[in-house]
Amino acid sequence: MEILTDIALRAHWFRSHEKAYHVSKDTMLTPAARDFIREHGITLIYEDSALEGQPEVEVSSVPESVKAVNQLPKKAAESADEHYKAMPMAAVPQGADHKPQYVNGETGEVLSVKPENMTHLHGNVLVPKTHPQIAFRGMLDSLEAKIMSLQVAASENGLHRLTDALDEVLAYVRQILSAEVLDKELGEIHLLGLDSAELRYESHHIKEIYGIPHPMPEYRMGRICIGLNELRTFVRETELAAARAFQSGDTCTRPDIVEAMNRLSSVIYILFCRQLTGRWPGQLETSETKDLPGFLVEASGRHVHLTQQAIDVLFGENLHEKSPLSQPGQYASEERVRLVTAKGEIDNVVVLGPPRGAVQVEMSLTDARILGITIPVNLSGDLKGAADVILVGPKGIYNAVGSVIASKAHIHMTPEDARLYGVEDGDSVAVRLETERPVTIDDVIIRVSEKFSLAMHMDYDEANACSYKKGDMGYIIKKN
């Protein structure tokens, strides 16, 4: 099929002012071409395809490198066809001398060789590569590449909803490009299950829909969210390229494309907010890969919980609060102790308050090796199998028998949080950590209490394994 544009007609008209224009039977007219024909009283004469009956290109004129590709085994070629989509290619009309015929879109001059500084605007009509519409197409091409790059990252992180949504966005960008190249009207936008008006509304009412104010992007949101924000900014740049390409005086010649680019920016912003909060419409509560709101992850270093009796022995006075912890009522004290065993010691270990009903020392398995002891991985409060250690304070020594454990990774939640995540106290979940080296930790235990604040706790061994930094987020991806 050939495309007849108003530019080709203008070139023909200004060269000859002929009222007849010969086209093949399968030629498609752009809306602008129809208007030009009407305004100038041009008659279209339909003939058999201009390409029929033309001699094939001789094999000898084909470069050896191209011959080699064309001689691939049939099975290999069929396999490639099965896995990859072909990029559409438009045929270039040929003249009576069987040479390609190009038209300079600015001067109407007929050319048999395409200059290196020019490219196709529509069909065989050439314009300089600096033409604003060509620049816009280049931006769309780059936009496609950025979308696919983020898709790969989303897929590798198991974010299936985001991967599928980006696939929908990619298809729409290609639809925009096709409408521009073919000079066709772009249909109504419908993405993420929303029309143009709904997309605009949702992007302006983030607080009402997602429960957060319009978020200011920051690195703590993780690579995927920051990647979405970067994609959004590039969409805005591409929108400006569209505005420049289709501005004629005070008139926009392609308002459909400019509006589409504006709504596309809204789409990416909505995806950013959905990924940040985990609130995806229509998600199945039973899905093992459902996307849920993220939560802060905290790394707990070695520390000690003491009874009032142990505090009196070690310090001779009550604990002095230094700084509050994330869990309400909990704090790091000014006091420090030394941990001593027959094979090693660790100095300057923080004491957490307030006092508890049992002495408990929490450390990593790496710390345990320094002390030459074997410790179990238990939830805080579970001292089954706990190892022994001697605590040394400024006022005395306390023999903490059966007190040392490595704390099992867990998430503190309020009952309201638990309802949102669809979990109960004691449940085991898999958590994806969006850190510099993303990892998934299985068997993270849910702990529910009115006294808690939403946060995940892990030890320094786990934190070092994923290159954790303060502010990194975790996401529940599966309930075990």
Side-chain angles (χ1 to χ4, degrees):
M1 177 184 292
E2 296 178 20
I3 308 297
L4 180 59
T5 68
D6 63 315
I7 296 178
L9 285 169
R10 291 177 195 279
H12 166 78
W13 176 258
F14 291 119
R15 281 199 317 272
S16 62
H17 287 278
E18 292 179 358
K19 293 285 188 177
Y21 192 91
H22 295 261
V23 294
S24 62
K25 290 186 299 185
D26 58 350
T27 298
M28 185 179 76
L29 305 181
T30 66
R34 291 194 187 93
D35 292 341
F36 190 86
I37 288 170
R38 227 176 5 253
E39 293 169 4
H40 293 80
I42 295 174
T43 301
L44 294 181
I45 301 176
Y46 289 91
E47 301 176 340
D48 289 340
S49 175
L51 298 178
E52 290 181 4
Q54 294 181 2
E56 297 182 0
V57 179
E58 295 180 6
V59 176
S60 60
S61 65
V62 181
E64 290 299 323
S65 59
V66 177
K67 287 184 192 176
V69 173
N70 289 335
Q71 290 169 3
L72 284 172
K74 183 178 181 182
K75 285 188 177 180
E78 289 175 352
S79 175
D81 289 343
E82 290 173 3
H83 290 86
Y84 303 104
K85 297 176 182 178
M87 185 178 292
M89 304 293 288
V92 176
Q94 297 182 3
D97 57 358
H98 306 311
K99 292 183 179 180
Q101 277 193 329
Y102 302 99
V103 177
N104 186 318
E106 295 181 345
T107 65
E109 179 186 1
V110 176
L111 306 169
S112 59
V113 177
K114 182 169 76 71
E116 290 295 332
N117 68 320
M118 303 188 80
T119 190
H120 299 265
L121 182 62
H122 299 292
N124 64 331
V125 177
L126 304 180
V127 292
K129 292 180 178 179
T130 54
H131 192 283
Q133 281 179 248
I134 303 303
F136 172 59
R137 290 177 192 174
M139 294 288 284
L140 288 178
D141 193 27
S142 296
L143 178 57
E144 288 185 32
K146 291 180 181 293
I147 292 171
M148 288 183 282
S149 179
L150 188 56
Q151 264 189 300
V152 171
S155 178
E156 290 176 346
N157 281 275
L159 303 175
H160 307 300
R161 289 181 178 275
L162 178 59
T163 304
D164 292 344
L166 289 173
D167 212 36
E168 189 179 354
V169 171
L170 178 64
Y172 189 68
V173 172
R174 288 172 174 168
Q175 187 179 336
I176 293 173
L177 180 60
S178 176
E180 193 281 320
V181 170
L182 299 178
D183 201 18
K184 292 171 58 178
E185 188 72 19
L186 186 63
E188 291 290 329
I189 185 171
H190 197 272
L191 290 170
L192 310 182
L194 305 172
D195 61 23
S196 179
E198 291 168 334
L199 286 169
R200 188 176 189 281
Y201 177 86
E202 185 157 327
S203 67
H204 284 75
H205 294 80
I206 298 302
K207 179 68 175 178
E208 296 91 326
I209 297 172
Y210 296 103
I212 58 173
H214 286 280
M216 176 73 73
E218 55 175 301
Y219 79 94
R220 294 180 180 86
M221 294 174 176
R223 292 184 181 277
I224 299 298
C225 282
I226 296 306
L228 282 165
N229 181 65
E230 183 180 9
L231 186 61
R232 178 190 62 81
T233 63
F234 193 79
V235 169
R236 295 299 297 272
E237 292 180 33
T238 310
E239 178 188 351
L240 292 176
R244 288 189 292 267
F246 304 116
Q247 190 68 29
S248 179
D250 296 330
T251 304
C252 177
T253 59
R254 290 302 302 263
D256 56 331
I257 290 180
V258 173
E259 180 187 5
M261 293 307 306
N262 185 272
R263 293 299 178 269
L264 201 58
S265 174
S266 299
V267 167
I268 304 301
Y269 182 56
I270 290 170
L271 290 179
F272 170 74
C273 292
R274 288 183 181 182
Q275 183 59 33
L276 184 63
T277 62
R279 297 187 180 185
W280 292 80
Q283 63 188 26
L284 298 175
E285 290 302 318
T286 57
S287 169
E288 289 191 348
T289 57
K290 63 183 178 181
D291 297 280
L292 290 167
F295 40 81
L296 282 177
V297 178
E298 297 178 330
S300 297
R302 63 181 81 99
H303 60 271
V304 175
H305 298 282
L306 298 175
T307 61
Q308 186 60 53
Q309 179 192 10
I311 293 172
D312 293 340
V313 169
L314 292 166
F315 306 109
E317 58 182 333
N318 290 333
L319 299 178
H320 300 85
E321 181 175 343
K322 180 179 181 180
S323 57
L325 302 179
S326 63
Q327 296 306 306
Q330 305 295 304
Y331 60 86
S333 72
E334 298 280 358
E335 284 68 32
R336 298 290 188 273
V337 296
R338 181 163 23 117
L339 308 180
V340 180
T341 68
K343 295 184 178 180
E345 60 181 67
I346 298 176
D347 202 8
N348 199 37
V349 179
V350 65
V351 176
L352 302 187
R356 289 196 178 185
V359 173
Q360 178 175 292
V361 179
E362 297 180 39
M363 64 178 63
S364 69
L365 297 179
T366 300
D367 290 335
R369 281 194 287 273
I370 294 173
L371 295 177
I373 57 177
T374 300
I375 61 175
V377 180
N378 293 349
L379 282 176
S380 180
D382 178 6
L383 297 178
K384 183 179 180 180
D388 304 337
V389 72
I390 295 173
L391 307 180
V392 179
K395 298 293 185 179
I397 296 174
Y398 188 92
N399 190 14
V401 177
S403 65
V404 188
I405 65 170
S407 181
K408 190 177 185 64
H410 56 279
I411 306 173
H412 292 283
M413 290 186 177
T414 64
E416 183 179 355
D417 293 326
R419 284 191 294 272
L420 172 63
Y421 287 91
V423 294
E424 298 178 355
D425 186 56
D427 280 350
S428 170
V429 296
V431 175
R432 180 70 174 176
L433 302 179
E434 291 296 333
T435 57
E436 186 175 340
R437 298 169 63 187
V439 300
T440 296
I441 299 182
D442 287 320
D443 198 21
V444 179
I445 306 302
I446 302 297
R447 310 202 71 176
V448 180
S449 171
E450 291 282 3
K451 299 179 180 179
F452 289 159
S453 176
L454 181 62
M456 174 176 164
H457 288 167
M458 61 182 178
D459 68 22
Y460 271 19
D461 282 351
E462 292 161 322
N464 289 333
C466 64
S467 295
Y468 165 84
K469 290 188 287 293
K470 186 177 180 180
D472 283 341
M473 303 287 285
Y475 298 84
I476 294 177
I477 61 173
K478 184 174 66 174
K479 180 178 176 181
N480 298 323

